[in-house]
Amino acid sequence: MTNTVHRGSSIEFRKVRKTYGSFVALEEFSMTVAPGEFMTLLGPSGSGKTTALNCLAGFIDIGEGDILIDGVSIARVPTEKRGIGMVFQNYSLFPHRTVMGNVAFPLEMRGMGKAEIRTRSLKALEMVRLDGLADRMPHELSGGQKQRVAFARAVVFEPRVLLMDEPLGALDLKLRETLQLEIKQYQRQIGCTVIYVTHDQGEALTLSDRLAVMEKGFIRQLGTPQDLYDRPSSRFVAEFIGSNNIFKVLGSQGASVSMEGIGPIEITGRALPSAGYVALRPEHMRRTPQGRVVTRLEQAVFFGNSIRYVLTGADGKEISLIEPRTQGTQMPEPGSEVRFDFDDESLIYLPE
């Protein structure tokens, strides 16, 4: 790796449509990624996120539309000439090559001299703190070490675009959290543009400059993690990003709004429609004896620094409330009454 931080390339998807028989994997998929941006494609299995990544990489042909890198169409450019680095979930390391040999492979394919290959490979391994393991074989490495080798191999030739397809999916939670921070640090150091695919919303919120929530081949919402968390545009996004209570609006009259699970309640400072849904984050609710909403406690779940209360509201609707735990917090007994309240500004209106 050189010491000069360079910026990545811009990427543009223009109305890409990809089908497999009658199944539509991508439909009117349009998205622009700025140079050096960390963009995440987030969605459930089958939403089209990996298909979009594979179209960009050149692993599959797009059916309709176009993809541009730095304003130039790559639809007819072979995969090996797109200058894109790729990190896979299963590492895809060569079992017969050492750590150094794996990292050096992309440089060998580009015909570089042995001295330059060694220098660049060692710098890439130093970046991921594995230079002391250069002579190890892949079977001698831990899962986290293998993923670092895969990352070093993907960036050793200094690609302007790096694609990552659920690279941390096979690792345990604590290691995933550690590598999330490292990946972001490496990306800032290199300055390349990253498109990252995951179904893990926590991962997406941690890593992304922006993220696109996908469903059935469509982008349902695109924005910063804060935008999508605080202002989801649909019920699907509200339920997919973080934990949310979704209440159906049953009707309104003046300042009084009736909501499923809550019943009639006075809302001040804002107007809610008489139909549709509202979302309320569990952490935006608070237990208080004077609370406007009366529920019954079903279960209190201890998470160390927080407590999650599973409540039953009007009509038997399940409601989740999360509060920070402080020393001496007394948890009520299951079956007891729990009243809660919230700031009316915390309610997020979701169209039908």
Coordinates of all heavy atoms in Angstrom, one line a residue, residues 144 166-183 196 198-200 203 206-207:
G144 N -11.1 -14.6 12.1 CA -10.8 -13.2 12.0 C -9.6 -12.9 11.2 O -9.5 -11.9 10.4
E166 N -21.4 -9.5 2.5 CA -21.6 -10.1 3.8 C -20.2 -10.7 4.4 O -20.2 -11.8 4.7 CB -22.7 -11.1 3.8 CG -24.0 -10.6 3.3 CD -25.2 -11.3 3.8 OE1 -25.2 -11.6 5.0 OE2 -26.2 -11.4 3.1
P167 N -19.2 -9.9 4.4 CA -17.9 -10.4 4.8 C -17.7 -10.9 6.2 O -16.8 -11.6 6.5 CB -16.9 -9.2 4.5 CG -17.8 -8.0 4.7 CD -19.1 -8.4 4.2
L168 N -18.6 -10.4 7.1 CA -18.5 -10.8 8.5 C -19.5 -11.8 8.9 O -19.7 -12.1 10.1 CB -18.6 -9.5 9.4 CG -17.6 -8.4 9.0 CD1 -17.8 -7.2 10.0 CD2 -16.2 -8.9 9.0
G169 N -20.3 -12.3 8.0 CA -21.5 -13.2 8.3 C -21.1 -14.5 9.0 O -21.9 -15.0 9.8
A170 N -19.9 -15.0 8.8 CA -19.5 -16.3 9.3 C -18.8 -16.1 10.7 O -18.4 -17.1 11.3 CB -18.6 -17.0 8.4
L171 N -18.7 -14.9 11.2 CA -17.9 -14.7 12.4 C -18.8 -14.5 13.6 O -20.0 -14.2 13.5 CB -17.0 -13.5 12.3 CG -16.1 -13.5 11.1 CD1 -15.3 -12.2 11.0 CD2 -15.1 -14.6 11.1
D172 N -18.3 -14.8 14.8 CA -19.1 -14.6 16.0 C -19.3 -13.1 16.3 O -18.6 -12.2 15.8 CB -18.5 -15.3 17.2 CG -17.1 -14.7 17.6 OD1 -17.0 -13.5 18.1 OD2 -16.1 -15.4 17.4
L173 N -20.2 -12.8 17.2 CA -20.7 -11.4 17.4 C -19.6 -10.5 17.8 O -19.4 -9.4 17.3 CB -21.8 -11.4 18.4 CG -22.3 -10.0 18.8 CD1 -22.9 -9.3 17.6 CD2 -23.4 -10.1 19.9
K174 N -18.8 -10.9 18.8 CA -17.7 -10.0 19.3 C -16.7 -9.7 18.3 O -16.2 -8.6 18.1 CB -17.1 -10.6 20.6 CG -16.2 -9.7 21.3 CD -15.8 -10.2 22.7 CE -15.0 -9.2 23.5 NZ -14.7 -9.6 24.8
L175 N -16.3 -10.7 17.5 CA -15.3 -10.5 16.4 C -15.9 -9.7 15.3 O -15.2 -8.8 14.7 CB -14.9 -11.9 15.9 CG -13.8 -11.8 14.8 CD1 -12.5 -11.1 15.3 CD2 -13.4 -13.3 14.4
R176 N -17.2 -9.8 15.0 CA -17.8 -9.0 14.0 C -17.8 -7.5 14.4 O -17.5 -6.7 13.6 CB -19.3 -9.4 13.8 CG -19.5 -10.6 13.0 CD -20.9 -10.6 12.3 NE -22.0 -10.3 13.1 CZ -22.7 -11.2 13.8 NH1 -22.3 -12.5 13.8 NH2 -23.7 -10.9 14.6
E177 N -18.1 -7.2 15.7 CA -18.0 -5.9 16.1 C -16.6 -5.3 16.0 O -16.5 -4.1 15.7 CB -18.6 -5.8 17.6 CG -20.1 -6.1 17.7 CD -20.6 -6.2 19.1 OE1 -19.7 -6.2 20.0 OE2 -21.8 -6.2 19.3
T178 N -15.6 -6.1 16.4 CA -14.2 -5.6 16.3 C -13.9 -5.3 14.8 O -13.3 -4.2 14.5 CB -13.3 -6.6 16.8 OG1 -13.6 -6.9 18.2 CG2 -11.8 -6.2 16.7
L179 N -14.2 -6.2 13.9 CA -13.8 -6.0 12.5 C -14.6 -4.9 11.8 O -14.1 -4.3 10.9 CB -14.0 -7.3 11.8 CG -12.9 -8.4 12.1 CD1 -13.2 -9.7 11.2 CD2 -11.5 -7.9 11.8
Q180 N -15.8 -4.7 12.3 CA -16.6 -3.5 11.8 C -15.8 -2.2 11.9 O -15.7 -1.5 11.0 CB -18.0 -3.4 12.5 CG -19.0 -4.4 12.1 CD -20.2 -4.4 13.0 OE1 -20.4 -3.4 13.7 NE2 -21.0 -5.5 13.0
L181 N -15.3 -2.0 13.1 CA -14.5 -0.8 13.3 C -13.2 -0.8 12.5 O -12.8 0.3 12.0 CB -14.2 -0.7 14.8 CG -15.4 -0.6 15.8 CD1 -15.0 -0.5 17.2 CD2 -16.3 0.6 15.4
E182 N -12.6 -1.9 12.4 CA -11.4 -2.0 11.6 C -11.6 -1.7 10.1 O -10.9 -1.0 9.5 CB -10.7 -3.4 11.8 CG -10.2 -3.6 13.2 CD -9.4 -4.9 13.3 OE1 -9.2 -5.6 12.3 OE2 -9.0 -5.3 14.4
I183 N -12.7 -2.3 9.6 CA -13.0 -2.1 8.2 C -13.2 -0.6 7.9 O -12.8 -0.1 6.9 CB -14.3 -2.9 7.8 CG1 -13.9 -4.4 7.7 CG2 -14.9 -2.4 6.4 CD1 -15.1 -5.3 7.5
Y196 N -21.2 -2.2 0.3 CA -21.2 -3.3 1.3 C -22.6 -3.9 1.4 O -23.6 -3.2 1.5 CB -20.8 -2.6 2.6 CG -20.5 -3.6 3.8 CD1 -19.2 -3.9 4.1 CD2 -21.5 -4.1 4.6 CE1 -18.9 -4.7 5.2 CE2 -21.2 -5.0 5.6 CZ -19.9 -5.3 5.9 OH -19.6 -6.1 7.0
T198 N -25.2 -6.4 3.3 CA -25.5 -7.1 4.6 C -27.0 -7.2 4.8 O -27.7 -6.4 4.3 CB -24.8 -6.4 5.8 OG1 -25.0 -7.2 7.0 CG2 -25.3 -5.0 6.0
H199 N -27.4 -8.2 5.7 CA -28.8 -8.2 6.1 C -28.8 -7.8 7.6 O -29.9 -7.8 8.2 CB -29.4 -9.6 6.0 CG -28.7 -10.6 6.8 ND1 -27.6 -11.3 6.3 CD2 -29.0 -11.1 8.0 CE1 -27.2 -12.2 7.3 NE2 -28.0 -12.1 8.3
D200 N -27.6 -7.4 8.2 CA -27.5 -7.1 9.6 C -27.7 -5.6 9.7 O -26.8 -4.8 9.3 CB -26.1 -7.5 10.1 CG -26.0 -7.4 11.6 OD1 -26.3 -6.3 12.1 OD2 -25.5 -8.3 12.3
E203 N -24.9 -3.7 11.8 CA -23.7 -3.5 11.0 C -23.8 -2.4 10.0 O -22.9 -1.5 9.8 CB -23.5 -4.8 10.2 CG -22.0 -5.1 9.7 CD -21.9 -6.5 9.3 OE1 -21.6 -7.4 10.1 OE2 -22.0 -6.8 8.1
T206 N -23.7 1.0 11.8 CA -22.3 1.3 12.3 C -21.4 1.7 11.2 O -20.6 2.7 11.4 CB -21.7 0.0 13.0 OG1 -22.6 -0.3 14.1 CG2 -20.3 0.3 13.5
L207 N -21.4 1.1 10.0 CA -20.4 1.3 9.0 C -20.7 2.4 8.0 O -19.8 3.1 7.5 CB -20.2 0.0 8.2 CG -19.5 -1.1 9.0 CD1 -19.6 -2.4 8.2 CD2 -18.0 -0.8 9.2

